[in-house]
Amino acid sequence: MKFHHTLGPTDLSEQVASLINTYNNLSYRRTALDVREGKIDYVVETHGKWVVGCCGYEKLGYQLTEIKHLAVNQEWRRRGVGGFLIKSVLKFCDTPAIFATVREDNKSSMSLFRTLGFIPSVTYNAEGHNVLLLTRVSPKWQKADWKPGSYDDQFLLTSEAIPPGLRS
């Protein structure tokens, strides 16, 4: 089965780059070529021939995925687009840990990520702004009975998740 969209890769990447550059205050502007040929995969939400929101994710290794470049057109905010995009990205994540960075003054994004189970872990200063590192366990790994542990033990595997022959 094939799915076709009226927007081709060039149109999509141009609109995603425009959204990111307009709403994300990044240290350098992204081009359509960066979006199309970079390491970041994107989930996009469209309305007709317009991209109204996007969310990128990059698998950084077997253990970790970063969510980045969440952007929703101003006219489409407060309609659930951002939450839909992040939830869609979470479905693609196959690593146990997922993180995102959000500027501390971006209250709406902070609230959205917290609503979706992300926990603030660290605050640091980047280019004169306080940035929060938000983390969570991937939904696919939560099914493996991973539970939040202490500060020293980030995750504890419950005995029920250990095969009977390996339990002590």
Side-chain angles (χ1 to χ4, degrees):
M1 179 183 301
K2 292 184 182 179
F3 292 94
H4 299 278
H5 197 285
T6 56
L7 291 172
T10 301
D11 289 332
L12 284 170
S13 59
E14 286 173 356
Q15 290 188 47
V16 166
S18 178
L19 265 178
I20 293 168
N21 292 328
T22 300
Y23 296 111
N24 278 14
N25 298 321
L26 300 174
S27 56
Y28 73 91
R29 294 182 61 77
R30 300 310 196 270
T31 66
L33 187 63
D34 293 336
V35 171
R36 201 170 42 254
E37 296 183 4
K39 296 178 182 180
I40 302 167
D41 292 325
Y42 287 91
V43 173
V44 297
E45 179 65 11
T46 60
H47 180 74
K49 63 180 182 173
W50 302 108
V51 174
V52 298
C54 64
C55 186
Y57 63 100
E58 181 178 359
K59 186 174 180 177
L60 301 175
Y62 175 75
Q63 305 269 341
L64 188 64
T65 298
E66 179 180 9
I67 294 179
K68 46 178 56 172
H69 303 165
L70 174 64
V72 177
N73 182 293
Q74 190 75 33
E75 296 177 24
W76 285 85
R77 292 188 180 174
R78 314 287 312 158
R79 296 185 186 189
V81 174
F84 172 78
L85 291 167
I86 294 171
K87 288 175 189 175
S88 297
V89 165
L90 291 173
K91 291 178 185 176
F92 292 112
C93 292
D94 58 358
T95 59
I98 303 167
F99 79 97
T101 55
V102 178
R103 282 179 40 169
E104 196 172 49
D105 60 355
N106 188 342
K107 301 296 183 196
S108 59
S109 286
M110 290 291 299
S111 175
L112 176 59
F113 276 99
R114 284 182 174 188
T115 298
L116 296 173
F118 286 81
I119 300 167
S121 300
V122 176
T123 302
Y124 62 94
N125 191 286
E127 300 179 18
H129 302 283
N130 284 338
V131 177
L132 273 101
L133 176 72
L134 301 157
T135 59
R136 72 161 283 164
V137 174
S138 170
K140 292 178 184 176
W141 284 77
Q142 284 178 328
K143 294 176 184 173
D145 290 331
W146 287 94
K147 300 206 183 231
S150 67
Y151 180 78
D152 295 325
D153 301 312
Q154 289 187 349
F155 301 103
L156 297 174
L157 189 59
T158 63
S159 62
E160 293 82 27
I162 301 171
L166 298 177
R167 292 183 195 160
S168 50

